[in-house]
Amino acid sequence: MYSMKYLKTVKRLAWAAFTYILLINSYVNLKAKGLVFNNVCNTPANKVGLILGTGKYTANGQVNLYYKHRLNGAIALFKAGKIEYILVSGDNSSVGYNEPMAFKKDLIHHGIPEDKIVLDFAGFRTLDSMVRAKQVFQLESVTIISQKFHNQRALFLANHFGIKAVAYNARAVNGSYGYKTELREFLARTKASLDIILNVKPKFLGKPISIV
């Protein structure tokens, strides 16, 4: 059997971890205050809008609503003149999986000129997307496009890496799937804060690419 001293130590560590998770979540929300927008008309203009990638389809073959709503958000911002270029940052880690290219095809289908779309194939994580936006695509400011919970974390990272960013909140996903995703965000934010503390680097960088 475990000793009482051991159990008390485990309990203290668990409580400390839980407290840290709650604190970092509140801090991320605070840092994003006033920088997230639900209405296209109220969203500040930027040269570039950054779509944070996700897969087009869910495991059961249905269209991923997170994908659909981010796509629609980017189209709405572009057609309203709030952004002039769209940078799609996502995962292309295998031959059969290409988030940026899926977005590009659908953006073009909805009337976005191809020469206004730039693809970042190495946006494996939100941290990678934000660092590469700054160091590879040379962006000093950007409009992030994702759901609110994700935007808040992206803004936290953008601020740390010296990017002047605002975010447009794509439509949320309701139901149990949306609830589970937002619940996992608590751990994603904790990991993001630890990545900053540990100075974690993107998987790939590369030569500078000028968008504007």
mmCIF file with all atom_site columns, all heavy atoms in Angstrom, residues 40 46-47 49 71-86 107 110-117 145:
data_model
loop_
_atom_site.group_PDB
_atom_site.id
_atom_site.type_symbol
_atom_site.label_atom_id
_atom_site.label_alt_id
_atom_site.label_comp_id
_atom_site.label_asym_id
_atom_site.label_entity_id
_atom_site.label_seq_id
_atom_site.pdbx_PDB_ins_code
_atom_site.Cartn_x
_atom_site.Cartn_y
_atom_site.Cartn_z
_atom_site.occupancy
_atom_site.B_iso_or_equiv
_atom_site.pdbx_formal_charge
_atom_site.auth_seq_id
_atom_site.auth_comp_id
_atom_site.auth_asym_id
_atom_site.auth_atom_id
_atom_site.pdbx_PDB_model_num
ATOM 1   N N   . VAL A 1 40  ? -18.137 40.733 -38.744 1.00 0.00 ? 40  VAL A N   1
ATOM 2   C CA  . VAL A 1 40  ? -17.211 41.107 -39.814 1.00 0.00 ? 40  VAL A CA  1
ATOM 3   C C   . VAL A 1 40  ? -17.041 42.623 -39.880 1.00 0.00 ? 40  VAL A C   1
ATOM 4   O O   . VAL A 1 40  ? -15.921 43.129 -40.013 1.00 0.00 ? 40  VAL A O   1
ATOM 5   C CB  . VAL A 1 40  ? -17.696 40.563 -41.170 1.00 0.00 ? 40  VAL A CB  1
ATOM 6   C CG1 . VAL A 1 40  ? -16.871 41.146 -42.320 1.00 0.00 ? 40  VAL A CG1 1
ATOM 7   C CG2 . VAL A 1 40  ? -17.616 39.045 -41.194 1.00 0.00 ? 40  VAL A CG2 1
ATOM 8   N N   . ASN A 1 46  ? -6.828  44.199 -41.921 1.00 0.00 ? 46  ASN A N   1
ATOM 9   C CA  . ASN A 1 46  ? -5.427  43.794 -41.984 1.00 0.00 ? 46  ASN A CA  1
ATOM 10  C C   . ASN A 1 46  ? -5.123  43.357 -43.413 1.00 0.00 ? 46  ASN A C   1
ATOM 11  O O   . ASN A 1 46  ? -6.031  42.934 -44.148 1.00 0.00 ? 46  ASN A O   1
ATOM 12  C CB  . ASN A 1 46  ? -5.149  42.632 -41.028 1.00 0.00 ? 46  ASN A CB  1
ATOM 13  C CG  . ASN A 1 46  ? -4.483  43.072 -39.743 1.00 0.00 ? 46  ASN A CG  1
ATOM 14  O OD1 . ASN A 1 46  ? -3.548  43.873 -39.758 1.00 0.00 ? 46  ASN A OD1 1
ATOM 15  N ND2 . ASN A 1 46  ? -4.962  42.554 -38.621 1.00 0.00 ? 46  ASN A ND2 1
ATOM 16  N N   . LYS A 1 47  ? -3.883  43.439 -43.802 1.00 0.00 ? 47  LYS A N   1
ATOM 17  C CA  . LYS A 1 47  ? -3.504  42.952 -45.134 1.00 0.00 ? 47  LYS A CA  1
ATOM 18  C C   . LYS A 1 47  ? -3.758  41.451 -45.263 1.00 0.00 ? 47  LYS A C   1
ATOM 19  O O   . LYS A 1 47  ? -4.214  40.973 -46.304 1.00 0.00 ? 47  LYS A O   1
ATOM 20  C CB  . LYS A 1 47  ? -2.019  43.237 -45.394 1.00 0.00 ? 47  LYS A CB  1
ATOM 21  C CG  . LYS A 1 47  ? -1.705  44.672 -45.746 1.00 0.00 ? 47  LYS A CG  1
ATOM 22  C CD  . LYS A 1 47  ? -2.030  44.968 -47.198 1.00 0.00 ? 47  LYS A CD  1
ATOM 23  C CE  . LYS A 1 47  ? -1.567  46.364 -47.594 1.00 0.00 ? 47  LYS A CE  1
ATOM 24  N NZ  . LYS A 1 47  ? -1.891  46.654 -49.002 1.00 0.00 ? 47  LYS A NZ  1
ATOM 25  N N   . GLY A 1 49  ? -5.212  37.690 -43.629 1.00 0.00 ? 49  GLY A N   1
ATOM 26  C CA  . GLY A 1 49  ? -5.990  36.873 -42.706 1.00 0.00 ? 49  GLY A CA  1
ATOM 27  C C   . GLY A 1 49  ? -5.363  35.498 -42.637 1.00 0.00 ? 49  GLY A C   1
ATOM 28  O O   . GLY A 1 49  ? -4.996  34.926 -43.668 1.00 0.00 ? 49  GLY A O   1
ATOM 29  N N   . LEU A 1 71  ? -13.692 28.493 -43.073 1.00 0.00 ? 71  LEU A N   1
ATOM 30  C CA  . LEU A 1 71  ? -13.715 28.825 -44.501 1.00 0.00 ? 71  LEU A CA  1
ATOM 31  C C   . LEU A 1 71  ? -14.678 29.981 -44.761 1.00 0.00 ? 71  LEU A C   1
ATOM 32  O O   . LEU A 1 71  ? -14.318 30.974 -45.410 1.00 0.00 ? 71  LEU A O   1
ATOM 33  C CB  . LEU A 1 71  ? -14.134 27.597 -45.304 1.00 0.00 ? 71  LEU A CB  1
ATOM 34  C CG  . LEU A 1 71  ? -14.330 27.804 -46.808 1.00 0.00 ? 71  LEU A CG  1
ATOM 35  C CD1 . LEU A 1 71  ? -12.982 27.957 -47.505 1.00 0.00 ? 71  LEU A CD1 1
ATOM 36  C CD2 . LEU A 1 71  ? -15.115 26.634 -47.410 1.00 0.00 ? 71  LEU A CD2 1
ATOM 37  N N   . ASN A 1 72  ? -15.873 29.878 -44.244 1.00 0.00 ? 72  ASN A N   1
ATOM 38  C CA  . ASN A 1 72  ? -16.883 30.925 -44.460 1.00 0.00 ? 72  ASN A CA  1
ATOM 39  C C   . ASN A 1 72  ? -16.454 32.248 -43.830 1.00 0.00 ? 72  ASN A C   1
ATOM 40  O O   . ASN A 1 72  ? -16.715 33.321 -44.387 1.00 0.00 ? 72  ASN A O   1
ATOM 41  C CB  . ASN A 1 72  ? -18.227 30.481 -43.873 1.00 0.00 ? 72  ASN A CB  1
ATOM 42  C CG  . ASN A 1 72  ? -18.865 29.363 -44.673 1.00 0.00 ? 72  ASN A CG  1
ATOM 43  O OD1 . ASN A 1 72  ? -18.532 29.154 -45.843 1.00 0.00 ? 72  ASN A OD1 1
ATOM 44  N ND2 . ASN A 1 72  ? -19.775 28.627 -44.066 1.00 0.00 ? 72  ASN A ND2 1
ATOM 45  N N   . GLY A 1 73  ? -15.791 32.175 -42.683 1.00 0.00 ? 73  GLY A N   1
ATOM 46  C CA  . GLY A 1 73  ? -15.315 33.394 -42.036 1.00 0.00 ? 73  GLY A CA  1
ATOM 47  C C   . GLY A 1 73  ? -14.278 34.114 -42.875 1.00 0.00 ? 73  GLY A C   1
ATOM 48  O O   . GLY A 1 73  ? -14.322 35.345 -43.031 1.00 0.00 ? 73  GLY A O   1
ATOM 49  N N   . ALA A 1 74  ? -13.346 33.362 -43.438 1.00 0.00 ? 74  ALA A N   1
ATOM 50  C CA  . ALA A 1 74  ? -12.308 33.955 -44.281 1.00 0.00 ? 74  ALA A CA  1
ATOM 51  C C   . ALA A 1 74  ? -12.908 34.576 -45.534 1.00 0.00 ? 74  ALA A C   1
ATOM 52  O O   . ALA A 1 74  ? -12.522 35.679 -45.950 1.00 0.00 ? 74  ALA A O   1
ATOM 53  C CB  . ALA A 1 74  ? -11.279 32.891 -44.660 1.00 0.00 ? 74  ALA A CB  1
ATOM 54  N N   . ILE A 1 75  ? -13.867 33.893 -46.138 1.00 0.00 ? 75  ILE A N   1
ATOM 55  C CA  . ILE A 1 75  ? -14.522 34.410 -47.343 1.00 0.00 ? 75  ILE A CA  1
ATOM 56  C C   . ILE A 1 75  ? -15.250 35.715 -47.028 1.00 0.00 ? 75  ILE A C   1
ATOM 57  O O   . ILE A 1 75  ? -15.167 36.699 -47.779 1.00 0.00 ? 75  ILE A O   1
ATOM 58  C CB  . ILE A 1 75  ? -15.500 33.362 -47.911 1.00 0.00 ? 75  ILE A CB  1
ATOM 59  C CG1 . ILE A 1 75  ? -14.729 32.150 -48.435 1.00 0.00 ? 75  ILE A CG1 1
ATOM 60  C CG2 . ILE A 1 75  ? -16.363 33.962 -49.021 1.00 0.00 ? 75  ILE A CG2 1
ATOM 61  C CD1 . ILE A 1 75  ? -15.610 30.948 -48.743 1.00 0.00 ? 75  ILE A CD1 1
ATOM 62  N N   . ALA A 1 76  ? -15.952 35.733 -45.907 1.00 0.00 ? 76  ALA A N   1
ATOM 63  C CA  . ALA A 1 76  ? -16.701 36.932 -45.524 1.00 0.00 ? 76  ALA A CA  1
ATOM 64  C C   . ALA A 1 76  ? -15.770 38.111 -45.272 1.00 0.00 ? 76  ALA A C   1
ATOM 65  O O   . ALA A 1 76  ? -16.051 39.240 -45.699 1.00 0.00 ? 76  ALA A O   1
ATOM 66  C CB  . ALA A 1 76  ? -17.535 36.638 -44.271 1.00 0.00 ? 76  ALA A CB  1
ATOM 67  N N   . LEU A 1 77  ? -14.664 37.879 -44.605 1.00 0.00 ? 77  LEU A N   1
ATOM 68  C CA  . LEU A 1 77  ? -13.694 38.951 -44.338 1.00 0.00 ? 77  LEU A CA  1
ATOM 69  C C   . LEU A 1 77  ? -13.095 39.479 -45.633 1.00 0.00 ? 77  LEU A C   1
ATOM 70  O O   . LEU A 1 77  ? -12.950 40.692 -45.816 1.00 0.00 ? 77  LEU A O   1
ATOM 71  C CB  . LEU A 1 77  ? -12.587 38.438 -43.422 1.00 0.00 ? 77  LEU A CB  1
ATOM 72  C CG  . LEU A 1 77  ? -12.958 38.197 -41.955 1.00 0.00 ? 77  LEU A CG  1
ATOM 73  C CD1 . LEU A 1 77  ? -11.833 37.462 -41.247 1.00 0.00 ? 77  LEU A CD1 1
ATOM 74  C CD2 . LEU A 1 77  ? -13.264 39.504 -41.237 1.00 0.00 ? 77  LEU A CD2 1
ATOM 75  N N   . PHE A 1 78  ? -12.758 38.579 -46.543 1.00 0.00 ? 78  PHE A N   1
ATOM 76  C CA  . PHE A 1 78  ? -12.154 38.983 -47.818 1.00 0.00 ? 78  PHE A CA  1
ATOM 77  C C   . PHE A 1 78  ? -13.138 39.810 -48.639 1.00 0.00 ? 78  PHE A C   1
ATOM 78  O O   . PHE A 1 78  ? -12.789 40.877 -49.171 1.00 0.00 ? 78  PHE A O   1
ATOM 79  C CB  . PHE A 1 78  ? -11.706 37.754 -48.607 1.00 0.00 ? 78  PHE A CB  1
ATOM 80  C CG  . PHE A 1 78  ? -10.976 38.086 -49.874 1.00 0.00 ? 78  PHE A CG  1
ATOM 81  C CD1 . PHE A 1 78  ? -9.586  38.227 -49.867 1.00 0.00 ? 78  PHE A CD1 1
ATOM 82  C CD2 . PHE A 1 78  ? -11.649 38.265 -51.072 1.00 0.00 ? 78  PHE A CD2 1
ATOM 83  C CE1 . PHE A 1 78  ? -8.897  38.549 -51.046 1.00 0.00 ? 78  PHE A CE1 1
ATOM 84  C CE2 . PHE A 1 78  ? -10.971 38.593 -52.238 1.00 0.00 ? 78  PHE A CE2 1
ATOM 85  C CZ  . PHE A 1 78  ? -9.593  38.730 -52.221 1.00 0.00 ? 78  PHE A CZ  1
ATOM 86  N N   . LYS A 1 79  ? -14.360 39.335 -48.746 1.00 0.00 ? 79  LYS A N   1
ATOM 87  C CA  . LYS A 1 79  ? -15.347 40.026 -49.583 1.00 0.00 ? 79  LYS A CA  1
ATOM 88  C C   . LYS A 1 79  ? -15.795 41.348 -48.972 1.00 0.00 ? 79  LYS A C   1
ATOM 89  O O   . LYS A 1 79  ? -16.287 42.229 -49.691 1.00 0.00 ? 79  LYS A O   1
ATOM 90  C CB  . LYS A 1 79  ? -16.534 39.095 -49.838 1.00 0.00 ? 79  LYS A CB  1
ATOM 91  C CG  . LYS A 1 79  ? -16.143 37.919 -50.736 1.00 0.00 ? 79  LYS A CG  1
ATOM 92  C CD  . LYS A 1 79  ? -17.330 37.087 -51.177 1.00 0.00 ? 79  LYS A CD  1
ATOM 93  C CE  . LYS A 1 79  ? -16.886 36.017 -52.184 1.00 0.00 ? 79  LYS A CE  1
ATOM 94  N NZ  . LYS A 1 79  ? -18.006 35.174 -52.659 1.00 0.00 ? 79  LYS A NZ  1
ATOM 95  N N   . ALA A 1 80  ? -15.595 41.500 -47.658 1.00 0.00 ? 80  ALA A N   1
ATOM 96  C CA  . ALA A 1 80  ? -15.922 42.764 -46.999 1.00 0.00 ? 80  ALA A CA  1
ATOM 97  C C   . ALA A 1 80  ? -14.749 43.737 -47.026 1.00 0.00 ? 80  ALA A C   1
ATOM 98  O O   . ALA A 1 80  ? -14.862 44.859 -46.528 1.00 0.00 ? 80  ALA A O   1
ATOM 99  C CB  . ALA A 1 80  ? -16.339 42.501 -45.554 1.00 0.00 ? 80  ALA A CB  1
ATOM 100 N N   . GLY A 1 81  ? -13.630 43.326 -47.613 1.00 0.00 ? 81  GLY A N   1
ATOM 101 C CA  . GLY A 1 81  ? -12.458 44.189 -47.695 1.00 0.00 ? 81  GLY A CA  1
ATOM 102 C C   . GLY A 1 81  ? -11.680 44.292 -46.397 1.00 0.00 ? 81  GLY A C   1
ATOM 103 O O   . GLY A 1 81  ? -10.837 45.177 -46.248 1.00 0.00 ? 81  GLY A O   1
ATOM 104 N N   . LYS A 1 82  ? -11.911 43.359 -45.479 1.00 0.00 ? 82  LYS A N   1
ATOM 105 C CA  . LYS A 1 82  ? -11.214 43.388 -44.192 1.00 0.00 ? 82  LYS A CA  1
ATOM 106 C C   . LYS A 1 82  ? -9.843  42.734 -44.261 1.00 0.00 ? 82  LYS A C   1
ATOM 107 O O   . LYS A 1 82  ? -8.990  42.949 -43.397 1.00 0.00 ? 82  LYS A O   1
ATOM 108 C CB  . LYS A 1 82  ? -12.059 42.691 -43.121 1.00 0.00 ? 82  LYS A CB  1
ATOM 109 C CG  . LYS A 1 82  ? -13.364 43.414 -42.803 1.00 0.00 ? 82  LYS A CG  1
ATOM 110 C CD  . LYS A 1 82  ? -13.085 44.758 -42.144 1.00 0.00 ? 82  LYS A CD  1
ATOM 111 C CE  . LYS A 1 82  ? -14.374 45.457 -41.749 1.00 0.00 ? 82  LYS A CE  1
ATOM 112 N NZ  . LYS A 1 82  ? -14.119 46.695 -40.975 1.00 0.00 ? 82  LYS A NZ  1
ATOM 113 N N   . ILE A 1 83  ? -9.627  41.904 -45.267 1.00 0.00 ? 83  ILE A N   1
ATOM 114 C CA  . ILE A 1 83  ? -8.313  41.311 -45.534 1.00 0.00 ? 83  ILE A CA  1
ATOM 115 C C   . ILE A 1 83  ? -8.094  41.308 -47.044 1.00 0.00 ? 83  ILE A C   1
ATOM 116 O O   . ILE A 1 83  ? -9.050  41.269 -47.818 1.00 0.00 ? 83  ILE A O   1
ATOM 117 C CB  . ILE A 1 83  ? -8.184  39.875 -44.978 1.00 0.00 ? 83  ILE A CB  1
ATOM 118 C CG1 . ILE A 1 83  ? -9.318  38.980 -45.492 1.00 0.00 ? 83  ILE A CG1 1
ATOM 119 C CG2 . ILE A 1 83  ? -8.138  39.880 -43.452 1.00 0.00 ? 83  ILE A CG2 1
ATOM 120 C CD1 . ILE A 1 83  ? -9.216  37.521 -45.058 1.00 0.00 ? 83  ILE A CD1 1
ATOM 121 N N   . GLU A 1 84  ? -6.818  41.346 -47.461 1.00 0.00 ? 84  GLU A N   1
ATOM 122 C CA  . GLU A 1 84  ? -6.487  41.351 -48.885 1.00 0.00 ? 84  GLU A CA  1
ATOM 123 C C   . GLU A 1 84  ? -5.860  40.036 -49.340 1.00 0.00 ? 84  GLU A C   1
ATOM 124 O O   . GLU A 1 84  ? -5.905  39.699 -50.521 1.00 0.00 ? 84  GLU A O   1
ATOM 125 C CB  . GLU A 1 84  ? -5.523  42.503 -49.188 1.00 0.00 ? 84  GLU A CB  1
ATOM 126 C CG  . GLU A 1 84  ? -6.112  43.882 -48.907 1.00 0.00 ? 84  GLU A CG  1
ATOM 127 C CD  . GLU A 1 84  ? -5.116  44.988 -49.179 1.00 0.00 ? 84  GLU A CD  1
ATOM 128 O OE1 . GLU A 1 84  ? -4.248  44.808 -50.059 1.00 0.00 ? 84  GLU A OE1 1
ATOM 129 O OE2 . GLU A 1 84  ? -5.190  46.036 -48.503 1.00 0.00 ? 84  GLU A OE2 1
ATOM 130 N N   . TYR A 1 85  ? -5.269  39.323 -48.406 1.00 0.00 ? 85  TYR A N   1
ATOM 131 C CA  . TYR A 1 85  ? -4.651  38.025 -48.694 1.00 0.00 ? 85  TYR A CA  1
ATOM 132 C C   . TYR A 1 85  ? -5.093  37.031 -47.626 1.00 0.00 ? 85  TYR A C   1
ATOM 133 O O   . TYR A 1 85  ? -5.406  37.413 -46.498 1.00 0.00 ? 85  TYR A O   1
ATOM 134 C CB  . TYR A 1 85  ? -3.124  38.117 -48.681 1.00 0.00 ? 85  TYR A CB  1
ATOM 135 C CG  . TYR A 1 85  ? -2.546  38.995 -49.768 1.00 0.00 ? 85  TYR A CG  1
ATOM 136 C CD1 . TYR A 1 85  ? -2.407  40.365 -49.576 1.00 0.00 ? 85  TYR A CD1 1
ATOM 137 C CD2 . TYR A 1 85  ? -2.134  38.445 -50.977 1.00 0.00 ? 85  TYR A CD2 1
ATOM 138 C CE1 . TYR A 1 85  ? -1.884  41.177 -50.575 1.00 0.00 ? 85  TYR A CE1 1
ATOM 139 C CE2 . TYR A 1 85  ? -1.598  39.241 -51.977 1.00 0.00 ? 85  TYR A CE2 1
ATOM 140 C CZ  . TYR A 1 85  ? -1.477  40.603 -51.774 1.00 0.00 ? 85  TYR A CZ  1
ATOM 141 O OH  . TYR A 1 85  ? -0.967  41.406 -52.757 1.00 0.00 ? 85  TYR A OH  1
ATOM 142 N N   . ILE A 1 86  ? -5.094  35.765 -47.995 1.00 0.00 ? 86  ILE A N   1
ATOM 143 C CA  . ILE A 1 86  ? -5.424  34.710 -47.041 1.00 0.00 ? 86  ILE A CA  1
ATOM 144 C C   . ILE A 1 86  ? -4.259  33.738 -46.957 1.00 0.00 ? 86  ILE A C   1
ATOM 145 O O   . ILE A 1 86  ? -3.876  33.123 -47.965 1.00 0.00 ? 86  ILE A O   1
ATOM 146 C CB  . ILE A 1 86  ? -6.707  33.957 -47.452 1.00 0.00 ? 86  ILE A CB  1
ATOM 147 C CG1 . ILE A 1 86  ? -7.897  34.923 -47.483 1.00 0.00 ? 86  ILE A CG1 1
ATOM 148 C CG2 . ILE A 1 86  ? -6.978  32.799 -46.498 1.00 0.00 ? 86  ILE A CG2 1
ATOM 149 C CD1 . ILE A 1 86  ? -9.179  34.289 -48.009 1.00 0.00 ? 86  ILE A CD1 1
ATOM 150 N N   . LEU A 1 107 ? -11.676 27.871 -51.262 1.00 0.00 ? 107 LEU A N   1
ATOM 151 C CA  . LEU A 1 107 ? -11.626 29.328 -51.355 1.00 0.00 ? 107 LEU A CA  1
ATOM 152 C C   . LEU A 1 107 ? -11.770 29.774 -52.809 1.00 0.00 ? 107 LEU A C   1
ATOM 153 O O   . LEU A 1 107 ? -12.543 30.696 -53.121 1.00 0.00 ? 107 LEU A O   1
ATOM 154 C CB  . LEU A 1 107 ? -10.315 29.859 -50.768 1.00 0.00 ? 107 LEU A CB  1
ATOM 155 C CG  . LEU A 1 107 ? -10.182 29.816 -49.242 1.00 0.00 ? 107 LEU A CG  1
ATOM 156 C CD1 . LEU A 1 107 ? -8.733  30.069 -48.830 1.00 0.00 ? 107 LEU A CD1 1
ATOM 157 C CD2 . LEU A 1 107 ? -11.098 30.848 -48.590 1.00 0.00 ? 107 LEU A CD2 1
ATOM 158 N N   . HIS A 1 110 ? -15.200 29.496 -54.107 1.00 0.00 ? 110 HIS A N   1
ATOM 159 C CA  . HIS A 1 110 ? -16.092 30.547 -53.624 1.00 0.00 ? 110 HIS A CA  1
ATOM 160 C C   . HIS A 1 110 ? -15.661 31.943 -54.098 1.00 0.00 ? 110 HIS A C   1
ATOM 161 O O   . HIS A 1 110 ? -16.099 32.956 -53.547 1.00 0.00 ? 110 HIS A O   1
ATOM 162 C CB  . HIS A 1 110 ? -16.177 30.519 -52.102 1.00 0.00 ? 110 HIS A CB  1
ATOM 163 C CG  . HIS A 1 110 ? -17.018 29.398 -51.574 1.00 0.00 ? 110 HIS A CG  1
ATOM 164 N ND1 . HIS A 1 110 ? -16.519 28.121 -51.375 1.00 0.00 ? 110 HIS A ND1 1
ATOM 165 C CD2 . HIS A 1 110 ? -18.341 29.357 -51.238 1.00 0.00 ? 110 HIS A CD2 1
ATOM 166 C CE1 . HIS A 1 110 ? -17.486 27.347 -50.913 1.00 0.00 ? 110 HIS A CE1 1
ATOM 167 N NE2 . HIS A 1 110 ? -18.596 28.053 -50.831 1.00 0.00 ? 110 HIS A NE2 1
ATOM 168 N N   . GLY A 1 111 ? -14.803 31.989 -55.106 1.00 0.00 ? 111 GLY A N   1
ATOM 169 C CA  . GLY A 1 111 ? -14.508 33.261 -55.745 1.00 0.00 ? 111 GLY A CA  1
ATOM 170 C C   . GLY A 1 111 ? -13.298 34.020 -55.244 1.00 0.00 ? 111 GLY A C   1
ATOM 171 O O   . GLY A 1 111 ? -13.069 35.156 -55.652 1.00 0.00 ? 111 GLY A O   1
ATOM 172 N N   . ILE A 1 112 ? -12.490 33.423 -54.374 1.00 0.00 ? 112 ILE A N   1
ATOM 173 C CA  . ILE A 1 112 ? -11.275 34.091 -53.918 1.00 0.00 ? 112 ILE A CA  1
ATOM 174 C C   . ILE A 1 112 ? -10.183 33.883 -54.974 1.00 0.00 ? 112 ILE A C   1
ATOM 175 O O   . ILE A 1 112 ? -9.895  32.738 -55.341 1.00 0.00 ? 112 ILE A O   1
ATOM 176 C CB  . ILE A 1 112 ? -10.799 33.540 -52.560 1.00 0.00 ? 112 ILE A CB  1
ATOM 177 C CG1 . ILE A 1 112 ? -11.937 33.582 -51.530 1.00 0.00 ? 112 ILE A CG1 1
ATOM 178 C CG2 . ILE A 1 112 ? -9.583  34.324 -52.071 1.00 0.00 ? 112 ILE A CG2 1
ATOM 179 C CD1 . ILE A 1 112 ? -12.491 34.948 -51.255 1.00 0.00 ? 112 ILE A CD1 1
ATOM 180 N N   . PRO A 1 113 ? -9.578  34.947 -55.492 1.00 0.00 ? 113 PRO A N   1
ATOM 181 C CA  . PRO A 1 113 ? -8.535  34.792 -56.523 1.00 0.00 ? 113 PRO A CA  1
ATOM 182 C C   . PRO A 1 113 ? -7.355  33.949 -56.004 1.00 0.00 ? 113 PRO A C   1
ATOM 183 O O   . PRO A 1 113 ? -6.923  34.117 -54.863 1.00 0.00 ? 113 PRO A O   1
ATOM 184 C CB  . PRO A 1 113 ? -8.104  36.232 -56.804 1.00 0.00 ? 113 PRO A CB  1
ATOM 185 C CG  . PRO A 1 113 ? -9.255  37.077 -56.373 1.00 0.00 ? 113 PRO A CG  1
ATOM 186 C CD  . PRO A 1 113 ? -9.848  36.368 -55.193 1.00 0.00 ? 113 PRO A CD  1
ATOM 187 N N   . GLU A 1 114 ? -6.859  33.090 -56.857 1.00 0.00 ? 114 GLU A N   1
ATOM 188 C CA  . GLU A 1 114 ? -5.768  32.198 -56.455 1.00 0.00 ? 114 GLU A CA  1
ATOM 189 C C   . GLU A 1 114 ? -4.524  32.971 -56.019 1.00 0.00 ? 114 GLU A C   1
ATOM 190 O O   . GLU A 1 114 ? -3.798  32.544 -55.115 1.00 0.00 ? 114 GLU A O   1
ATOM 191 C CB  . GLU A 1 114 ? -5.413  31.253 -57.608 1.00 0.00 ? 114 GLU A CB  1
ATOM 192 C CG  . GLU A 1 114 ? -4.371  30.207 -57.241 1.00 0.00 ? 114 GLU A CG  1
ATOM 193 C CD  . GLU A 1 114 ? -4.146  29.190 -58.342 1.00 0.00 ? 114 GLU A CD  1
ATOM 194 O OE1 . GLU A 1 114 ? -4.759  29.340 -59.432 1.00 0.00 ? 114 GLU A OE1 1
ATOM 195 O OE2 . GLU A 1 114 ? -3.356  28.249 -58.116 1.00 0.00 ? 114 GLU A OE2 1
ATOM 196 N N   . ASP A 1 115 ? -4.262  34.114 -56.673 1.00 0.00 ? 115 ASP A N   1
ATOM 197 C CA  . ASP A 1 115 ? -3.060  34.875 -56.333 1.00 0.00 ? 115 ASP A CA  1
ATOM 198 C C   . ASP A 1 115 ? -3.184  35.617 -54.997 1.00 0.00 ? 115 ASP A C   1
ATOM 199 O O   . ASP A 1 115 ? -2.243  36.274 -54.554 1.00 0.00 ? 115 ASP A O   1
ATOM 200 C CB  . ASP A 1 115 ? -2.690  35.850 -57.454 1.00 0.00 ? 115 ASP A CB  1
ATOM 201 C CG  . ASP A 1 115 ? -3.750  36.919 -57.700 1.00 0.00 ? 115 ASP A CG  1
ATOM 202 O OD1 . ASP A 1 115 ? -4.847  36.847 -57.094 1.00 0.00 ? 115 ASP A OD1 1
ATOM 203 O OD2 . ASP A 1 115 ? -3.494  37.836 -58.492 1.00 0.00 ? 115 ASP A OD2 1
ATOM 204 N N   . LYS A 1 116 ? -4.338  35.504 -54.365 1.00 0.00 ? 116 LYS A N   1
ATOM 205 C CA  . LYS A 1 116 ? -4.536  36.107 -53.042 1.00 0.00 ? 116 LYS A CA  1
ATOM 206 C C   . LYS A 1 116 ? -4.457  35.061 -51.924 1.00 0.00 ? 116 LYS A C   1
ATOM 207 O O   . LYS A 1 116 ? -4.694  35.379 -50.755 1.00 0.00 ? 116 LYS A O   1
ATOM 208 C CB  . LYS A 1 116 ? -5.901  36.813 -52.977 1.00 0.00 ? 116 LYS A CB  1
ATOM 209 C CG  . LYS A 1 116 ? -6.064  37.955 -53.970 1.00 0.00 ? 116 LYS A CG  1
ATOM 210 C CD  . LYS A 1 116 ? -5.098  39.095 -53.665 1.00 0.00 ? 116 LYS A CD  1
ATOM 211 C CE  . LYS A 1 116 ? -5.335  40.283 -54.601 1.00 0.00 ? 116 LYS A CE  1
ATOM 212 N NZ  . LYS A 1 116 ? -4.425  41.414 -54.306 1.00 0.00 ? 116 LYS A NZ  1
ATOM 213 N N   . ILE A 1 117 ? -4.146  33.836 -52.296 1.00 0.00 ? 117 ILE A N   1
ATOM 214 C CA  . ILE A 1 117 ? -4.089  32.732 -51.329 1.00 0.00 ? 117 ILE A CA  1
ATOM 215 C C   . ILE A 1 117 ? -2.657  32.230 -51.211 1.00 0.00 ? 117 ILE A C   1
ATOM 216 O O   . ILE A 1 117 ? -2.003  31.935 -52.217 1.00 0.00 ? 117 ILE A O   1
ATOM 217 C CB  . ILE A 1 117 ? -5.003  31.572 -51.762 1.00 0.00 ? 117 ILE A CB  1
ATOM 218 C CG1 . ILE A 1 117 ? -6.442  32.069 -51.987 1.00 0.00 ? 117 ILE A CG1 1
ATOM 219 C CG2 . ILE A 1 117 ? -4.974  30.442 -50.726 1.00 0.00 ? 117 ILE A CG2 1
ATOM 220 C CD1 . ILE A 1 117 ? -7.324  31.052 -52.683 1.00 0.00 ? 117 ILE A CD1 1
ATOM 221 N N   . ILE A 1 145 ? -8.125  33.618 -37.995 1.00 0.00 ? 145 ILE A N   1
ATOM 222 C CA  . ILE A 1 145 ? -9.484  33.140 -38.269 1.00 0.00 ? 145 ILE A CA  1
ATOM 223 C C   . ILE A 1 145 ? -9.631  31.716 -37.752 1.00 0.00 ? 145 ILE A C   1
ATOM 224 O O   . ILE A 1 145 ? -9.034  30.770 -38.282 1.00 0.00 ? 145 ILE A O   1
ATOM 225 C CB  . ILE A 1 145 ? -9.792  33.181 -39.777 1.00 0.00 ? 145 ILE A CB  1
ATOM 226 C CG1 . ILE A 1 145 ? -9.571  34.600 -40.331 1.00 0.00 ? 145 ILE A CG1 1
ATOM 227 C CG2 . ILE A 1 145 ? -11.217 32.710 -40.050 1.00 0.00 ? 145 ILE A CG2 1
ATOM 228 C CD1 . ILE A 1 145 ? -9.466  34.652 -41.839 1.00 0.00 ? 145 ILE A CD1 1
#
